[in-house]
Amino acid sequence: MMFTILMARTGYSANERAAKRQEILDAAMQVFETQGVISAVSFRSVAAILGCSYSAPYRYFSGKDELIVALRARAYRWMEQALISAVDPLANARTQLEAVAHAYIRAGMDRPTTYALMYFELAGSDLGERSLELKAAKRAALGVCADVITAGQAAGTLPAQVDALTAAHMFWIGAHGLVSLHVGSQFVMGRTTRELIPSLIQWLGAGMEYAVIGGSYRAGGQPAKRKRIKPKI
């Protein structure tokens, strides 16, 4: 792949610069997925794939840290697309929610290196926390699940008392925990990942149904009021 350098001068369109930025990210992702470690990603290794000088990527990224944060955002966008592709618009919300959960788990298990990139934190840097690109990618990925829940509530097929974003976080927590334990080969106590996936998804769905009984959470993390039950005398 030959990389044509775009000098940072007036007259180049934002689309052209964005396209070149994506080329750099393509090469960086190739290095990462081939080598399997983030330390392998450098401007020199990227330049070797693109056929340009090692200083060329500096026109689009201030340094390696910014490049890695952008790679993390791309990993979240990869997950977002995996979840979107799993949603059948003709299916009911419950079926869609199960499909989203299955898709998340399957994506993480099929491409564990890319999945790990989503959660990679730069040591001694808050660039990831400050990155608007990364925040937007995270919200978009989680938003697929939240949108399915919101649509189901509007259609009356999912409980309206539960805050959709909170419920989406619960699905995320559950699915991430299962993928992380699977990748770490931690299921050694008599249950396999294949056995646990349907149970996890079933329990997450059941949790939405019965959350209001134990006190569901509204938007903003405020607990909903519980119904006071009079004791029988």
Side-chain angles (χ1 to χ4, degrees):
M1 183 195 307
M2 293 303 295
F3 181 75
T4 304
I5 300 301
L6 286 177
M7 300 299 290
R9 62 177 183 266
T10 305
Y12 265 112
S13 70
N15 287 339
E16 287 174 313
R17 290 187 58 79
K20 291 303 177 183
R21 193 172 186 271
Q22 291 306 312
E23 285 185 30
I24 295 171
L25 287 172
D26 287 341
M29 186 64 80
Q30 182 180 333
V31 171
F32 174 69
E33 292 188 332
T34 301
Q35 301 297 323
V37 290
I38 202 68
S39 59
V41 178
S42 67
F43 281 7
R44 288 186 181 276
S45 62
V46 168
I49 292 176
L50 295 174
C52 64
S53 70
Y54 76 90
S55 62
Y58 280 103
R59 293 187 170 92
Y60 305 92
F61 297 92
S62 61
K64 180 178 175 178
D65 284 359
E66 185 181 344
L67 177 62
I68 291 173
V69 169
L71 281 177
R72 289 188 61 198
R74 173 171 282 204
Y76 271 102
R77 292 294 182 181
W78 156 74
M79 180 59 76
E80 177 196 6
Q81 290 306 310
L83 303 185
I84 290 173
S85 298
V87 177
D88 179 357
L90 300 180
N92 62 52
R94 294 177 187 278
T95 300
Q96 290 178 343
L97 203 53
E98 290 181 4
V100 166
H102 273 291
Y104 184 101
I105 294 168
R106 184 170 57 252
M109 290 170 57
D110 289 348
R111 293 179 62 182
T113 303
T114 305
Y115 182 80
L117 182 58
M118 293 166 57
Y119 300 101
F120 180 83
E121 294 290 345
L122 291 166
S125 172
D126 65 346
L127 189 59
E129 296 176 11
R130 294 187 288 107
S131 170
L132 298 180
E133 179 183 17
L134 180 56
K135 287 179 180 178
K138 285 182 178 181
R139 290 193 182 102
L142 184 61
V144 177
C145 184
D147 289 346
V148 168
I149 296 171
T150 299
Q153 290 174 324
T157 56
L158 292 177
Q161 300 96 323
V162 177
D163 175 53
L165 188 57
T166 301
H169 274 82
M170 294 300 103
F171 271 82
W172 185 16
I173 291 167
H176 175 60
L178 187 143
V179 172
S180 298
L181 290 169
H182 169 81
V183 172
S185 302
Q186 297 300 309
F187 292 129
V188 296
M189 298 178 65
R191 293 294 181 272
T192 66
T193 306
R194 186 179 295 274
E195 292 170 330
L196 292 170
I197 289 173
S199 295
L200 172 67
I201 294 174
Q202 180 183 1
W203 288 2
L204 287 171
M208 285 188 61
E209 294 291 340
Y210 297 104
V212 71
I213 295 176
S216 64
Y217 282 81
R218 297 171 177 162
Q222 296 300 317
K225 291 181 179 179
R226 301 181 187 183
K227 290 184 177 179
R228 181 170 292 178
I229 301 174
K230 281 188 175 184
K232 292 182 180 179
I233 299 175

